[in-house]
Amino acid sequence: MLGSVQHHEMLIQVISDAASIPASVVASLVYGETGRYRHFDIPKSSGGTRRISTPIPSLHAIQRYIYKSVIFDLPVHDSAKGYRPKTSIIDYVRPHLGAKSFIKVDIKDCFPSISTNSVFKCLMRNGFSRKNSFIISRLCTQYNGLPQGAPHFATSLQFDTLQLRL
């Protein structure tokens, strides 16, 4: 598991081998900021647009590996239903059936508001070393936020961060 790798170079090599991406490319994705995502806007049903940032293929492969090896195994609060395998909107709504009222909240810029530091702290709280938390958080975020368009990281990281804020 990635949590047991203690050195930057070792973790970069582990990711490189697992994702079949040269270690130099993995390192440039960790330490660089530009060119890692493609951006486009989609219309929101409420008006305006939502910025979507999709990772370039090499970063996408790395993120898929990190998701399967790290994020998927992180504990998820029972109230978090989004982005979980084999769950649907029904699973979210079911506990609220019969309630007198229901409040729907849309958190403005939710994904980008989850900072690289928040991802780092979430990983640290879950037993990862500082070095590995740094590398993984850099590979999961862009411009100090979780990009909308790479949501497979959202469940654990998003709810963990929101829970701390609330």
Side-chain angles (χ1 to χ4, degrees), residues 3-54:
S4 62
V5 179
Q6 295 300 314
H7 302 287
H8 284 234
E9 298 78 20
M10 288 175 58
L11 179 57
I12 287 173
Q13 190 61 54
V14 167
I15 292 170
S16 169
D17 294 343
S20 300
I21 307 288
S24 60
V25 172
V26 176
S28 71
L29 291 168
V30 170
Y31 297 106
E33 192 68 54
T34 60
R36 300 184 317 150
Y37 289 85
R38 294 179 302 249
H39 309 282
F40 57 94
D41 295 322
I42 60 170
K44 294 168 77 173
S45 59
S46 61
T49 60
R50 179 181 318 278
R51 171 61 54 129
I52 302 295
S53 301
T54 60

Side-chain angles (χ1 to χ4, degrees), residues 27 37 48 59 65 87 93 115 134 158-159 163:
Y37 289 85
L59 182 56
Y65 170 72
T87 61
V93 173
S115 69
F134 170 80
Q158 179 180 353
F159 202 83
Q163 192 175 341

Side-chain angles (χ1 to χ4, degrees), residues 124-136:
M124 290 286 294
R125 278 191 303 278
N126 282 283
F128 287 84
S129 70
R130 292 184 66 79
K131 291 177 182 181
N132 290 349
S133 296
F134 170 80
I135 289 173
I136 294 167

Side-chain angles (χ1 to χ4, degrees), residues 13 26 37 60 80 85-87 94 108 112 124 148-149 157 166:
Q13 190 61 54
V26 176
Y37 289 85
H60 186 260
K86 301 179 183 175
T87 61
R94 186 174 287 121
K108 181 176 172 44
M124 290 286 294
Q148 177 95 26
L157 304 178
L166 298 174

